[in-house]
Amino acid sequence: TSENAASRQRVHLLLAAAAPPQAAGAQDEVLSRLARNAAGIETLQGRVLQEKRLEMFKDTVSSRGRFAYRRPDRLRWELTDPVVTGFVLTGSSGRRWHGLTGKTEPFTLASDPMMRVIAGQILASVRADFSPLQKEYRVSVSSGSPATLQLEPLTPNAFVERVTVTFSKETEYVESVIVREKGGDQTTIRFSEVEGNRP
């Protein structure tokens, strides 16, 4: 309920205010470590499992596919099962397609809020470039190993309540991105077989 959400928010703010000064230093250390690791990444590729949980129907829709990233801002995202769909992105614009219709269409991140959230989180996490995110979200480190970040919108957002980004303990590549929507729906993206700096 909204009362429970407000209560959780107050508790979170109280805990943040009560945190010792070292907490900020520890958080900076984790973010710096992720940034150093990402600085050497030119390309990433791997498999992806996308799970969309719909609160209204108490159901989860799963899709599988693959992704490829090339520095600084090129991303290919393709779901292949059960339906072929995907997009390619360069900077803030791209093209998407749907296998059932056979059509492709251009899009921009500015005109598609959900695509902006998903692609923006993936790109920022892969690059470990948190300065753009900190303009829109309060970024906090909830775990140092494996590194886990919590992102909460700084201003009221139309649909996003919270984003959780978790990095692999071994490689510190992005392992999962969870986008929790205000209505209760949740999109979870899990990465596997991720390889860095391959053709």
Side-chain angles (χ1 to χ4, degrees):
T1 67
S2 59
E3 289 182 5
N4 288 339
S7 177
R8 288 195 303 270
Q9 179 74 3
R10 285 193 295 271
V11 170
H12 180 82
L13 291 173
L14 287 171
L15 290 174
Q22 300 92 309
Q27 175 166 300
D28 290 344
E29 191 281 324
V30 171
L31 297 178
S32 296
R33 187 182 77 225
L34 292 172
R36 286 194 304 272
N37 182 63
I41 296 174
E42 292 297 323
T43 66
L44 279 179
Q45 59 187 335
R47 299 195 174 276
V48 63
L49 170 64
Q50 181 173 297
E51 299 170 314
K52 176 76 174 180
R53 185 172 63 78
L54 304 172
E55 181 67 21
M56 180 181 293
F57 302 107
K58 304 293 183 186
D59 198 9
T60 299
V61 178
S62 298
S63 303
R64 298 177 184 276
R66 55 185 178 254
F67 81 99
Y69 159 80
R70 185 176 184 87
R71 183 181 291 276
D73 56 10
R74 299 178 68 185
L75 179 65
R76 180 183 178 96
W77 186 269
E78 185 169 32
L79 300 177
T80 56
D81 180 53
V83 177
V84 175
T85 183
F87 67 87
V88 289
L89 180 71
T90 301
S92 61
S93 62
R95 296 190 68 80
R96 58 183 159 204
W97 61 89
H98 198 290
L100 292 179
T101 64
K103 295 180 179 179
T104 65
E105 62 178 3
F107 72 92
T108 65
L109 297 183
S111 64
D112 190 324
M114 182 53 95
M115 187 68 76
R116 180 181 176 191
V117 170
I118 297 294
Q121 302 302 330
I122 295 169
L123 284 172
S125 300
V126 166
R127 295 184 296 219
D129 180 7
F130 305 109
S131 54
L133 290 179
Q134 289 170 330
K135 294 177 182 177
E136 297 184 49
Y137 298 91
R138 182 174 66 244
V139 179
S140 60
V141 176
S142 59
S143 171
S145 181
T148 303
L149 310 181
Q150 299 290 339
L151 288 73
E152 298 179 3
L154 293 173
T155 57
N157 189 292
F159 56 90
V160 175
E161 178 181 298
R162 181 178 62 253
V163 179
T164 303
V165 182
T166 302
F167 293 79
S168 163
K169 187 173 183 178
E170 292 76 22
T171 64
E172 293 206 324
Y173 296 151
V174 181
E175 189 169 79
S176 68
V177 176
I178 301 173
V179 179
R180 172 80 176 180
E181 299 175 32
K182 286 187 175 178
D185 291 355
Q186 180 171 292
T187 300
T188 301
I189 302 169
R190 304 183 194 281
F191 300 91
S192 62
E193 300 179 34
V194 179
E195 298 180 306
N197 294 334
R198 303 290 293 273

